[in-house]
Amino acid sequence: MTGVQTCALPISGETNILLEGDFVGVSRIENISPNQTFKLSAGIDEEITVKKEKIINKVNESSLFTKNKIIDITYKIEIESHKKEPHKITIIDHIPVSRDHDIEVIQRKWDPKYDEIDEKGIVKWNLTINSGEKKDIVYSLTIKHPKEMSIEGL
């Protein structure tokens, strides 16, 4: 949640969080100057569920003459809304980024295509999801690296 501090003086301290008119919790604001934009978490919205799963994880290192191991990975992010009205959400994920010339990360498929991606591999989708709707984000990557090298966390 993003806000703009509209008071004439700096503010800080405890604040009550209301979401769609309902009390959802208490948070703390730290030293916000007049007209400063700030972000505030309202916690987990239980009316929208998000689940990520790896649906394909294929490793190919079958050939004796091949120097590289090739890993094909496909992820699916499933978003489902139980809200009464359409809702705008941002899904943020992270893909691997190589900082080693022996490791190559190839982006193969994006459905839907992301709205933003940065050099650190942070990927963002801005979506509108209707009441009762399910949306899927599916993306595929290929990672190539020397067979003798071990890569963790994929």
Side-chain angles (χ1 to χ4, degrees), residues 2 13 26 30 32 34 38 53 57 67 90 97-98 100 121 123 136:
T2 302
V26 176
E30 298 294 334
I32 300 171
F38 63 95
E53 65 180 314
N57 188 27
K67 300 184 299 184
T90 300
V97 174
S98 176
D100 184 322
V123 187
D136 291 338

Side-chain angles (χ1 to χ4, degrees), residues 7-70:
C7 296
L9 300 172
I11 60 170
S12 68
E14 195 171 276
T15 184
N16 292 327
I17 306 294
L18 299 171
L19 182 63
E20 296 178 359
D22 296 325
F23 176 79
V24 294
V26 176
S27 189
R28 180 151 186 83
I29 296 175
E30 298 294 334
N31 299 323
I32 300 171
S33 301
N35 299 315
Q36 180 180 349
T37 300
F38 63 95
K39 291 196 181 240
L40 186 63
S41 174
I44 296 172
D45 185 343
E46 295 181 5
E47 292 182 330
I48 294 181
T49 57
V50 179
K51 181 175 79 170
K52 179 180 176 181
E53 65 180 314
K54 191 184 300 185
I55 56 175
I56 297 175
N57 188 27
K58 187 172 86 174
V59 179
N60 183 357
E61 55 181 319
S62 58
S63 173
L64 265 148
F65 304 107
T66 305
K67 300 184 299 184
N68 290 329
K69 180 187 279 189
I70 300 170

Side-chain angles (χ1 to χ4, degrees), residues 71-100:
I71 304 168
D72 290 317
I73 302 172
T74 298
Y75 289 102
K76 179 171 88 169
I77 301 171
E78 183 179 281
I79 307 105
E80 185 173 5
S81 175
H82 303 285
K83 290 191 159 295
K84 295 175 184 152
E85 305 208 2
H87 204 71
K88 292 181 181 182
I89 60 171
T90 300
I91 302 295
I92 302 172
D93 201 2
H94 182 263
I95 63 167
V97 174
S98 176
R99 306 232 188 282
D100 184 322

Side-chain angles (χ1 to χ4, degrees), residues 137-152:
I137 296 171
V138 178
Y139 64 92
S140 301
L141 308 168
T142 297
I143 294 98
K144 295 181 183 180
H145 64 88
K147 279 185 181 180
E148 65 277 357
M149 185 181 284
S150 177
I151 298 181
E152 300 297 323

